[in-house]
Amino acid sequence: MGMTETAFQMCINPDCRSRFDRGQVLFKCPNCGELLDIQYNWDKIAVPDKLSSFAARWANRQNPLDFSGVWRFRELLDFCPDTRKVTIGEGQTILEQNCAVANYAGMNPDCLFLQYEGLNPSGSFKDNGMAAAFSHAKMVQAKSCACASTGNTSASMSLYAHTCGLKSTVFIGSGRIAFGKLSQAMDYGAQTIQIRGDFDDCMAQVQAVCAKLGLYLLNSLNPFRLEGQKTIMYRIIEQMGWSVPDWVVVPGGNLGNSSAFGKAFLELKELGLIQQIPRMAIINATGADTLTDLVNNKKLTWNDSRVDQKIIDRYYADLTARNFSPHTCASAIEISRPVNLKKCLRSIAVCDGIVRAVTDEEICDAKAVVGKYGLGCEPASAASIAGLKHLVEQGVIGKDERVACVLTGHPLKDPNVTVNYHKDSLGQFSNPPIEAPNDLDEIIKLIQQ
Ligand SMILES: [Zn+2]
């Protein structure tokens, strides 16, 4: 199936490899339950013969698809007709060469580049994926959509949903709620259903409801979302003058980004559009370090698509037996059973990748440095800087290599962490407010100190 189309869906299980039409709404292989990939019939797509050809699109940016940081690379994710493509101006991001943060991480000053995904319309990288997934939703004529999330996903989904005229429903549990992000979902008009249960209960309910009512599911299983997230790498390459960095460093939570980035580089290499695939470092928080533990201690690998499921099953059974619940201030990566684990293992194989974990203290200090010397970021984003610092100290990343760190979300996404860090002088970069009497001379004295 699918050989006459530009794209099709395919199961990643090597013993299954079932193919499905791009117009089907699946999210998991109906034959074996594994993850699905979007694959392309490249000979049916007019892919430019060099990446710099995409630069011409910028001169035509009054066309919304050429303005979009996702769709100006549309030949590299050609799964739907232009008439169905959705954009709200996502992907107008900045890759900033930042000397001060480079210095903090132990790098040479001109070697560190920060990719600010917080500049997206809903304030996080999720908008890249939603532009792609909502285009698929429009292609299959979905009327309503849903996700379980209290985070960036619900914010991004709600924004794209009202733009596309879809009704959206966000499922949240009664556990910890990131109000900074949930506030966006409410403001963007999503229906919010709070279930008496935890996040796993929400995930189960949202899948059951979607199946029963035919709602379009926008959780992390959606393979079209990852196609949009590939473009973060294209934009890094674009802003580095159409050259690849030596390393990409990315926070690891549900592992959608690392999965998408590896797929992007693999495809670019196969198409002859890049010569060298960058190495990738994926950074967990120590309180949610499933990937680190599985890869570094349990020696789990992609193994040429034959991942040892027994290692994963044993690991998850142990988490259940210990009643383990992940804990980190970086709520966006507070995940112990990452949905895209196997695709991430593939990226590690493709990019000669490595995995590390960093403490909350290291995350908060790194976040303060990005705030003080850069454009700021949410806690999970700063894991990439904290991880880079480790890797430079360990000599894994050379201080003169060109490194792109992906900063996934805007600093205003999680103001509580920021305020607590500064006001209680918790870290080495804390900048607390100073109490002053209501007296001009005293105030002047404080400022001139
Ligand atoms: Zn399958």
Side-chain angles (χ1 to χ4, degrees):
M1 175 174 296
M3 290 315 289
T4 57
E5 307 275 6
T6 55
F8 55 95
Q9 307 185 60
M10 188 166 84
C11 175
I12 68 164
N13 175 357
D15 297 321
C16 176
R17 291 273 189 252
S18 299
R19 288 178 174 214
F20 307 95
D21 193 87
R22 61 184 177 163
Q24 281 183 269
V25 182
L26 293 167
F27 310 129
K28 267 187 178 180
C29 175
N31 299 331
C32 77
E34 257 305 343
L35 297 170
L36 295 172
D37 248 348
I38 309 305
Q39 296 287 338
Y40 298 96
N41 295 317
W42 294 113
D43 56 348
K44 297 194 163 43
I45 302 169
V47 181
D49 58 2
K50 55 184 195 301
L51 279 172
S52 59
S53 302
F54 285 110
R57 292 262 161 82
W58 192 236
N60 194 40
R61 63 189 179 277
Q62 74 282 0
N63 171 1
L65 293 187
D66 287 340
F67 179 72
S68 165
V70 169
W71 296 121
R72 70 170 175 267
F73 301 102
R74 51 191 172 272
E75 287 81 3
L76 300 172
L77 55 158
D78 190 357
F79 60 82
C80 83
D82 284 359
T83 51
R84 300 295 183 184
K85 288 188 175 92
V86 171
T87 177
I88 58 169
E90 61 286 323
Q92 308 311 318
T93 54
I94 290 173
L95 183 73
E96 178 196 54
Q97 196 172 28
N98 192 310
C99 304
V101 179
N103 184 49
Y104 173 73
M107 302 275 302
N108 286 353
D110 55 353
C111 288
L112 179 60
F113 300 81
L114 306 180
Q115 174 66 14
Y116 285 102
E117 287 297 314
L119 298 174
N120 274 292
S122 84
S124 86
F125 74 94
K126 300 281 182 183
D127 294 350
N128 297 286
M130 289 299 169
F134 271 89
S135 300
H136 183 248
K138 252 179 94 173
M139 197 173 118
V140 300
Q141 297 175 324
K143 299 282 180 282
S144 312
C145 60
C147 73
S149 159
T150 59
N152 291 326
T153 301
S154 62
S156 184
M157 179 192 78
S158 320
L159 179 52
Y160 277 86
H162 81 65
T163 306
C164 300
L166 266 70
K167 185 186 171 197
S168 65
T169 305
V170 174
F171 286 69
I172 62 173
S174 39
R176 283 206 297 280
I177 294 166
F179 275 108
K181 301 174 183 182
L182 183 61
S183 66
Q184 290 182 280
M186 297 190 289
D187 210 33
Y188 295 145
Q191 176 186 46
T192 305
I193 297 183
Q194 188 161 16
I195 295 170
R196 285 184 216 97
D198 62 15
F199 184 76
D200 290 337
D201 298 324
C202 288
M203 267 319 298
Q205 290 294 355
V206 75
Q207 291 188 53
V209 168
C210 284
K212 212 155 186 132
L213 300 182
L215 308 188
Y216 189 88
L217 184 61
L218 279 154
N219 72 1
S220 307
L221 290 171
N222 188 315
F224 294 95
R225 270 180 50 187
L226 298 194
E227 292 308 294
Q229 285 165 226
K230 292 192 306 192
T231 64
I232 298 169
M233 293 302 103
Y234 306 154
R235 295 199 300 274
I236 287 177
I237 293 171
E238 177 184 42
Q239 290 171 94
M240 292 183 102
W242 304 106
S243 69
V244 291
D246 297 308
W247 285 86
V248 171
V249 187
V250 59
N254 241 338
L255 306 177
N257 268 337
S258 47
S259 298
F261 300 169
K263 186 170 187 283
F265 289 127
L266 182 64
E267 289 170 351
L268 292 179
K269 185 86 193 321
E270 284 173 356
L271 289 166
L273 293 170
I274 58 172
Q275 306 311 314
Q276 183 76 31
I277 292 180
R279 293 194 68 188
M280 191 186 301
I282 305 163
I283 313 299
N284 279 157
T286 49
D289 63 350
T290 295
L291 182 72
T292 309
D293 216 0
L294 283 174
V295 170
N296 294 352
N297 303 326
K298 308 285 188 284
K299 305 301 173 198
L300 187 70
T301 65
W302 173 240
N303 191 28
D304 200 20
S305 82
R306 297 189 180 275
V307 178
D308 190 342
Q309 184 67 41
K310 289 194 296 296
I311 296 177
I312 302 171
D313 290 344
R314 263 201 305 273
Y315 193 83
Y316 288 177
D318 179 59
L319 291 183
T320 307
R322 287 191 288 132
N323 207 7
F324 177 83
S325 153
H327 195 93
T328 166
C329 69
S331 59
I333 54 173
E334 191 179 51
I335 291 160
S336 58
R337 291 173 177 80
V339 163
N340 287 300
L341 174 62
K342 287 187 182 172
K343 288 184 178 178
C344 171
L345 293 170
R346 177 174 63 189
S347 291
I348 291 172
V350 168
C351 301
D352 190 13
I354 54 169
V355 186
R356 291 290 187 277
V358 293
T359 65
D360 278 12
E361 193 185 347
E362 292 168 320
I363 287 173
C364 288
D365 284 341
K367 181 181 137 18
V369 171
V370 175
K372 188 171 180 183
Y373 299 109
L375 308 182
C377 64
E378 73 163 316
S381 310
S384 60
I385 304 297
L388 171 64
K389 193 173 190 312
H390 272 243
L391 291 164
V392 175
E393 276 163 12
Q394 292 165 5
V396 178
I397 295 183
K399 52 164 59 173
D400 56 350
E401 293 191 89
R402 298 203 309 167
V403 177
C405 283
V406 180
L407 302 179
T408 45
H410 195 278
L412 291 175
K413 284 285 192 174
D414 204 341
N416 288 353
V417 170
T418 310
V419 170
N420 290 338
Y421 177 88
H422 287 296
K423 85 170 161 45
D424 296 330
S425 293
L426 288 175
Q428 52 173 318
F429 303 101
S430 290
N431 181 23
I434 306 161
E435 292 236 9
N438 188 14
D439 177 286
L440 182 60
D441 292 338
E442 289 295 320
I443 293 169
I444 287 173
K445 222 186 283 174
L446 279 171
I447 291 171
Q448 288 182 330
Q449 246 171 28

